[in-house]
Amino acid sequence: MFAIVRTGGKQYRVAAGDKIAVEKLAGEAGETITLTDVLLAGNEGVLADAKGVTVSAEIIAQAKSEKVIVFKKRRRHNYRRKNGHRQQMTLLRILSVA
């Protein structure tokens, strides 16, 4: 069985055993959380009612994603700014879709 869940403003297709990286969620490594915003559910190509579906996941780790370089420049004005950013993220293992 699979489900489409929304967290952190993004949508993910998940099934039992999947590992996903999402925007930072509260919790420590090893804790179990429930993803409540289920948009769609299905099994073998047949869609099911998403109202009764719950997705439980285990937090693997709290980490940072790849560094993104932000570079600003204005031609002929001697203006250059270089900045880096690493987004906080949570690694999840989907335990069940029921």
Side-chain angles (χ1 to χ4, degrees):
M1 184 166 198
F2 73 92
I4 307 289
V5 296
R6 178 171 45 209
T7 179
K10 298 175 186 71
Q11 298 175 8
Y12 301 92
R13 183 187 190 274
V14 297
D18 287 351
K19 293 180 183 177
I20 59 172
V22 299
E23 296 279 328
K24 185 173 169 90
L25 298 172
E28 296 295 322
E31 289 184 20
T32 302
I33 61 170
T34 303
L35 302 175
T36 56
D37 198 0
V38 179
L39 303 175
L40 182 74
N43 191 7
E44 301 288 330
V46 179
L47 298 181
D49 186 22
K51 291 181 182 174
V53 176
T54 59
V55 177
S56 63
E58 176 189 6
I59 297 176
I60 298 172
Q62 301 284 4
K64 289 184 177 181
S65 64
E66 299 276 328
K67 181 176 268 196
V68 176
I69 302 297
V70 179
F71 184 73
K72 299 178 182 180
K73 179 181 178 183
R74 292 196 181 141
R75 296 190 322 165
R76 298 182 296 271
H77 290 281
N78 196 25
Y79 175 84
R80 289 179 207 87
R81 300 293 180 265
K82 183 177 178 183
N83 207 344
H85 176 74
R86 293 185 71 186
Q87 185 69 32
Q88 298 282 335
M89 60 188 247
T90 301
L91 299 173
L92 297 176
R93 178 182 298 120
I94 305 301
L95 299 176
S96 67
V97 178

